[in-house]
Amino acid sequence: MKKFLLFITMLFTLSFIGSANTCNSQYCTCPNGTWVTYGQYCTVPNVEVEIKYYGAIAVNIETEKWSSAYNYPSSSSAKKKVLSTCGENCKVNIVSAGRCGAVAYSESTKTLEFDSAIGGFAGAGYNTREERAKEKALKKCSKKSGDCKILTSVCNAGGI
């Protein structure tokens, strides 16, 4: 099995080098725009792709329906998901990549507040960014009403 894997790896490497545009003239242009001279090979840079995920929270105070989604490939797909569950009349809050978002709600005053937080708050007394997002949403809601509670929260993977 090890010999087979080594053989496949070698084939892949040789086919990759073969397609790397060997230079048979004095100057050659590589696909990435760099130049090489006779006998050299074009190099392929290492490219790191950071995947970003988005979320959304939708709430309709009148119907008391809500929906949340997290780790969707785009903000529009997350929004579409929550609206399909909550309904078209719901207020949508997008949660950006690498963030957590929370919604606080007061039933008595029909107050609805959203806030989000990013990582890096552990040193400020928070174990997670989700805790931070919840606290920020509650703080905003409490300025308008005394009986606020967290309705829902979501967290997304990915960077900013």
Side-chain angles (χ1 to χ4, degrees):
M1 183 68 177
K2 288 182 181 179
K3 287 182 181 180
F4 177 72
L5 289 174
L6 179 62
F7 176 73
I8 297 297
T9 304
M10 288 177 66
L11 277 178
F12 176 77
T13 304
L14 290 175
S15 66
F16 187 75
I17 290 173
S19 67
N21 300 334
T22 305
C23 182
N24 292 322
S25 63
Q26 191 169 356
Y27 294 103
C28 297
T29 304
C30 298
N32 63 0
T34 60
W35 293 81
V36 294
T37 60
Y38 181 77
Q40 294 180 326
Y41 293 95
C42 296
T43 59
V44 179
N46 291 337
V47 178
E48 292 184 27
V49 178
E50 183 178 6
I51 299 173
K52 296 182 178 186
Y53 295 102
Y54 300 87
I57 300 172
V59 181
N60 185 331
I61 295 176
E62 306 306 320
T63 63
E64 296 185 2
K65 289 178 85 177
W66 62 272
S67 178
S68 61
Y70 62 95
N71 288 344
Y72 275 74
S74 67
S75 57
S76 60
S77 62
K79 181 178 180 177
K80 185 176 179 180
K81 168 62 177 145
V82 295
L83 285 175
S84 71
T85 307
C86 184
E88 291 297 320
N89 293 328
C90 291
K91 179 183 177 186
V92 177
N93 294 290
I94 300 297
V95 182
S96 301
R99 287 187 173 266
C100 291
V103 171
Y105 175 68
S106 167
E107 195 170 331
S108 65
T109 62
K110 301 290 187 196
T111 300
L112 185 71
E113 291 294 337
F114 170 81
D115 214 321
S116 66
I118 191 166
F121 290 103
Y126 302 99
N127 291 327
T128 67
R129 55 195 165 127
E130 185 173 15
E131 286 178 11
R132 176 69 174 146
K134 287 178 179 180
E135 183 191 290
K136 288 171 71 178
L138 278 173
K139 187 175 182 180
K140 281 172 109 174
C141 183
S142 295
K143 289 180 180 178
K144 299 175 183 175
S145 180
D147 63 338
C148 295
K149 63 181 180 179
I150 295 296
L151 185 62
T152 187
S153 64
V154 297
C155 289
N156 298 307
I160 298 176

